[in-house]
Amino acid sequence: MIGLVAIYGPGRPLTDELQELWPESSHAYRASRGNCFQGPEAMQFALDRHRQVIAVGSLAAVVGLLTDPRVDVPRGAEVLCVDPGRRWVIPLTHSDSAVELAEEVAGALGVTPVFTGPQPDPGNPPAPGSPADAGNPLDVLTPHAVRYRRAGAGEAAEAAADGRPVRLVTEVAYPLPALPPNVRPDAPEDAPVLRVTDREDPDGEDLLVVPRTLVVGIGAGSGTGSADAMRLLTDILKETGYLRSAIARIATVTGKADHPAVRWAARCLNVPVDEHPAEALARLTVPNPSAAVGTAVGTASVAEAAALAGADGGELVVPKRKSATATIAIARAAVRGRLALIGLGPGAHDLLVPRALAELRRASVVVGRPEAVEAVAALLRPGTRQVVLPEPGTVRNARGAVLDRAGVATDRAGRAVDPAGAAATLAAHGHAVALVALGDGAGLTVPAGAYELLRVPGLPGAPGLPADTDGVPA
């Protein structure tokens, strides 16, 4: 989880934009001059909860906060400063993961990354799995998933860094990036555990990765006090074990987003509120409809139906619970895979756009023609699966039959599979996939599917030049 700090009013627009881009992996803190949550308090609040913090404000203001006697910067914290005028991003700490995050911020916001310390040579990346490449191997989980840090979970992180077995337990589907090869589901039972979940770990010993996929549906009426819904939700979370950090948004019926109880819950959770028309909620099937509610607001369910509507094809995990004045239900959104269409430019590493590098490091599977996959193989994280798909008919044996060898995907008839189809199939099954091609990638197309789709254009290729040239004829 990344902490986003808006340094007063000027920092809020870009802070909100970053949170919209990373809804599952960021938490925003908005400093205000008019209350007790001013700049030093907001910065300390973020540093206490997140290893990586992006502060949106002037460089002087951010540096001033970090040197303020009221702010204690923890050892190992990484802080980035983003210009509220959308000009630059500066990592104020010189670690590889801070540089990588700065490059991703630059690609996301269209700002210029400014590096003030020694940087790795993009044309000569560290060998995958080397100490220079690794850092803490589990840092690959951020910024796209939620690292849930706790005192008893240090053993899993240390084991991953040392190459010792770590057992991966997946309780909630989520498109994880490539993890170190020693982090695997079949690790010994007594190995430290990395658990993908949205529920509390009773023993407090597992390192948790918490996808933010829970949607809280709230029903509130004229007699509901401002704290009533949040009080009920707190009791529900304690009873069921669901984590507060797994909540992504609040949902309710149209016209209730400004209700004091809904507004207070949104402020406490720091999540957005979605409103859904009563007629749309009335069409959803829920386990506990109420005729009285239907007569009053035009839908027989508010909390359950709103939670399901916000979950977009997900499932209800906590049916409605009622207090004297409020109603709460919780749904888990359907987790979709991720498919990035990436243009690699001419193929040289130093001509790769920053966003493309970030997506390649994000992927658990890279799919493409041999020349494209080979061009980026050295940039991939250890454990990234490479699916190499030659042009149809180009890989055959002496008798003319299509070869089925390691690294070449074929169908049951032995024919080579089309890269777009293979990538779409993997993404539809919940994987984080990068489909790569030399050039600008404009020709990459995939069928519509149940996955998140994004495109990362590359520089135009240079026809007739090998991929490792710099584009200048000899």
Side-chain angles (χ1 to χ4, degrees):
M1 179 74 77
I2 296 173
L4 306 175
V5 180
I7 309 302
Y8 305 118
R12 293 189 178 185
L14 287 190
T15 299
D16 292 343
E17 187 171 338
L18 281 172
Q19 190 173 36
E20 289 180 5
L21 289 170
W22 299 333
E24 298 175 352
S25 56
S26 66
H27 209 89
Y29 306 92
R30 299 168 179 86
S32 174
R33 297 185 189 277
N35 59 29
C36 60
F37 202 63
Q38 300 191 30
E41 289 77 19
M43 180 64 78
Q44 188 64 65
F45 207 77
L47 289 170
D48 285 344
R49 289 159 176 78
H50 310 281
R51 187 179 65 84
Q52 292 182 308
V53 173
I54 300 173
V56 184
S58 70
L59 182 59
V62 175
V63 173
L65 288 175
L66 295 176
T67 57
D68 190 295
R70 292 169 290 179
V71 175
D72 179 25
V73 181
R75 181 188 295 268
E78 297 177 353
V79 181
L80 278 64
C81 177
V82 175
D83 171 40
R86 200 189 286 266
R87 292 175 296 176
W88 41 256
V89 54
I90 302 175
L92 302 180
T93 48
H94 305 139
S95 63
D96 290 346
S97 54
V99 169
E100 184 175 326
L101 180 57
E103 290 174 339
E104 182 151 353
V105 171
L109 297 180
V111 300
T112 301
V114 178
F115 301 123
T116 58
Q119 299 303 312
D121 178 5
N124 185 27
S130 69
D133 177 68
N136 185 321
L138 298 184
D139 285 344
V140 66
L141 296 171
T142 57
H144 303 280
V146 182
R147 279 282 291 280
Y148 193 63
R149 301 172 188 274
R150 52 181 60 216
E155 186 180 358
E158 292 174 4
D162 295 342
R164 291 182 281 122
V166 175
R167 187 158 55 92
L168 177 64
V169 177
T170 304
E171 296 177 349
V172 177
Y174 195 75
L176 289 171
L179 295 173
N182 56 309
V183 181
R184 60 186 193 276
D186 60 348
E189 287 291 326
D190 60 350
V193 173
L194 174 65
R195 187 181 303 274
V196 184
T197 184
D198 52 13
R199 306 187 83 156
E200 185 61 76
D201 170 27
D203 298 329
E205 296 180 354
D206 297 347
L207 181 61
L208 305 187
V209 178
V210 183
R212 297 185 68 194
T213 56
L214 298 184
V215 180
V216 175
I218 297 181
S222 57
T224 307
S226 61
D228 289 354
M230 191 62 205
R231 187 179 297 114
L232 175 59
L233 176 60
T234 301
D235 292 341
I236 292 171
L237 295 179
K238 183 177 180 180
E239 176 187 343
T240 61
Y242 284 105
L243 289 163
R244 179 168 168 166
S245 56
I247 297 173
R249 54 205 326 106
I250 288 171
T252 190
V253 68
T254 297
K256 291 293 185 178
D258 287 331
H259 190 288
V262 177
R263 291 174 59 189
W264 179 250
R267 181 174 180 179
C268 292
L269 298 170
N270 200 26
V271 297
V273 178
D274 297 330
E275 289 186 311
H276 301 277
E279 55 270 24
L281 298 183
R283 292 194 292 267
L284 297 176
T285 300
V286 296
N288 301 293
S290 167
V293 172
T295 301
V297 299
T299 172
S301 171
V302 172
E304 289 180 337
L308 286 170
D312 190 20
E315 60 177 342
L316 199 67
V317 294
V318 178
K320 74 175 181 181
R321 305 285 182 89
K322 299 176 64 176
S323 67
T325 57
T327 306
I328 296 285
I330 302 176
R332 181 188 293 129
V335 176
R336 308 199 305 170
R338 177 183 177 90
L339 177 53
L341 310 180
I342 303 176
L344 303 178
H349 294 164
D350 58 348
L351 296 179
L352 197 66
V353 300
R355 182 66 183 273
L357 177 61
E359 289 299 332
L360 289 169
R361 306 280 282 180
R362 166 75 179 98
S364 61
V365 186
V366 174
V367 181
R369 298 298 185 196
E371 64 276 9
V373 176
E374 182 180 359
V376 297
L379 299 175
L380 304 178
R381 293 191 182 276
T384 304
R385 179 183 173 192
Q386 300 175 35
V387 179
V388 180
L389 301 171
E391 293 286 350
T394 60
V395 182
R396 295 177 178 272
N397 62 18
R399 297 186 301 276
V402 176
L403 288 176
D404 182 5
R405 61 178 176 83
V408 176
T410 60
D411 62 18
R412 293 184 178 180
R415 295 184 295 266
V417 179
D418 175 71
T425 299
L426 288 164
H429 282 80
H431 295 281
V433 184
L435 176 60
V436 298
L438 296 176
D440 61 9
L444 293 174
T445 59
V446 293
Y451 43 75
E452 177 187 354
L453 181 64
L454 64 154
R455 182 179 294 275
V456 184
L459 298 174
L465 291 175
D468 59 353
T469 68
D470 59 6
V472 180

